[in-house]
Amino acid sequence: MIVYVNEKYLEENDAQVNVNDRGYLFADGVYEGFRIYNGKIFKLQEHKNRFQRSLDELKISYSLKDEIEEVFKNLFKKNNYLKEDELFYYMQITRGVAPRDHGFQKEKPKAGIYAFLSKKKINLDAYNNGVKICTTADNRWARCDIKCISLIANCLAKQTAVEDGFFDALFVHDGVITEGTSTNVCFIKDDILYTHAATNRILSGVTRNFVLDLCKENDIKVVEFPLTTNKISDVDEAFLTGTSGEITPIIKIDNITIGNGKSGKITKKLQKYYREYVNNNFY
């Protein structure tokens, strides 16, 4: 696979970064992941806006222009992908190479950029039949709204969930369900959608926000208010939203079956509206 690293297109095994890059030393960087439909980037401007916000919040002096689009087009061509390929596009930007010091250098280093484009099919079993997930303590830092590359807490939570036989985990902060390890989460009760508000405790997901727009367009009431763990047994439906999985039904949380243990009617409607949008705008 051909990847992009600091203005060069290289075979992934030949790609190198300086060991003094602050992304390597401090996880000092941010990233975005994009879904590709029919050779086009889904919700490009929304992703770009969030990418720039994350850069600004970490005080990384870099202004996005057209590099996201240009690098994508080149990676698409150089890897000989086809429009019908299901693809995932990743780009990260770090503060760059500098002496190891917690403080930032007065002379700002050149930002480091890495990107790849790979085949990644949607998990149809999860999409159609739903998944079982667990809850776990949210021990991350309090700026989950920044899409930074420091994800070890998320990785550990995901791995523990998988080892225990679950698809994923939901973070819980002071009894409140915040989000998944790489997704947002929504709950349905009496045909009303509930989800955590876009505060510093969650990442304001592009897919999450798109789903909320779909709800408003189709007269599904939305309440941006989080669910507490003691209310899990009361909900009728639940689902995860994310770039890779779109809308993934949840059929069980810990030992509690959600609804009838199958994908719910509102979840299926939103999946339908989502696919109609993609088909109408990308094909």
Side-chain angles (χ1 to χ4, degrees):
M1 181 173 69
I2 302 294
V3 302
Y4 175 87
V5 59
N6 297 330
E7 302 179 356
K8 296 179 181 179
Y9 293 91
L10 303 163
E11 286 287 347
E12 58 183 324
N13 290 333
D14 296 328
Q16 298 179 353
V17 294
N18 191 306
V19 293
N20 288 315
D21 188 298
R22 287 179 61 96
Y24 178 74
L25 294 172
F26 294 112
D28 187 358
V30 299
Y31 75 100
E32 278 291 325
F34 310 81
R35 193 65 170 164
I36 309 302
Y37 297 110
N38 197 33
K40 302 174 185 176
I41 302 174
F42 180 70
K43 294 293 179 180
L44 170 61
Q45 192 57 52
E46 289 84 347
H47 278 288
K48 183 182 285 189
N49 291 344
R50 186 174 65 178
F51 208 169
Q52 188 63 60
R53 178 184 182 277
S54 293
L55 287 164
D56 295 343
E57 289 295 311
L58 283 195
K59 300 181 180 180
I60 294 176
S61 299
Y62 190 90
S63 296
L64 291 165
K65 296 181 177 63
D66 299 322
E67 52 274 81
I68 295 174
E69 303 94 305
E70 291 175 3
V71 171
F72 164 72
K73 290 176 182 177
N74 288 330
L75 288 175
F76 190 90
K77 292 178 182 178
K78 291 178 182 295
N79 285 289
N80 297 313
Y81 288 130
L82 304 174
K83 284 188 175 181
E84 55 265 32
D85 289 331
E86 294 183 54
L87 301 172
F88 173 75
Y89 176 39
Y90 175 92
M91 178 178 282
Q92 73 173 38
I93 299 177
T94 65
R95 197 175 306 277
V97 178
R100 190 185 185 283
D101 189 335
H102 284 62
F104 303 156
Q105 300 298 302
K106 287 186 177 180
E107 293 185 8
K108 301 185 187 306
K110 185 177 181 179
I113 305 180
Y114 166 63
F116 69 82
L117 181 65
S118 64
K119 292 184 179 182
K120 189 171 187 178
K121 292 186 176 181
I122 191 169
N123 185 330
L124 288 177
D125 181 57
Y127 182 86
N128 292 320
N129 301 316
V131 296
K132 300 175 183 179
I133 58 180
C134 61
T135 55
T136 189
D138 193 345
N139 54 9
R140 301 170 298 167
W141 74 321
R143 290 304 310 273
C144 301
D145 56 305
I146 303 173
K147 200 169 177 67
C148 60
I149 61 176
S150 178
L151 292 170
I152 191 60
N154 302 60
C155 294
L156 286 171
K158 172 78 172 188
Q159 183 60 27
T160 300
V162 171
E163 289 174 356
D164 290 341
F166 295 96
F167 178 81
D168 202 354
L170 294 177
F171 286 116
V172 178
H173 179 77
D174 290 340
V176 170
I177 298 172
T178 54
E179 60 185 345
T181 63
S182 59
T183 55
N184 293 118
V185 62
C186 299
F187 301 95
I188 305 292
K189 177 63 178 177
D190 297 330
D191 295 340
I192 300 173
L193 184 148
Y194 294 86
T195 191
H196 198 294
T199 68
N200 62 299
R201 284 292 171 188
I202 73 162
L203 181 72
S204 183
V206 170
T207 305
R208 167 197 180 275
N209 297 337
F210 176 55
V211 168
L212 298 191
D213 288 341
L214 289 176
C215 287
K216 293 167 187 175
E217 291 169 8
N218 293 279
D219 298 320
I220 298 171
K221 185 176 179 180
V222 172
V223 178
E224 292 190 69
F225 191 82
L227 193 78
T228 53
T229 53
N230 63 338
K231 297 293 185 181
I232 292 175
S233 59
D234 295 335
V235 302
D236 303 319
E237 305 175 42
F239 58 85
L240 303 171
T241 62
T243 296
S244 297
E246 298 179 359
I247 299 172
T248 303
I250 299 171
I251 58 174
K252 196 169 188 177
I253 300 176
D254 292 329
N255 63 343
I256 301 172
T257 299
I258 304 300
N260 63 359
K262 297 180 180 179
S263 180
K265 64 176 183 178
I266 300 296
T267 304
K268 289 180 179 178
K269 282 183 179 180
L270 289 169
Q271 287 178 326
K272 176 176 174 288
Y273 300 147
Y274 190 112
R275 296 311 307 175
E276 286 176 348
Y277 176 89
V278 170
N279 291 336
N280 291 335
N281 291 276
F282 289 84
Y283 292 92

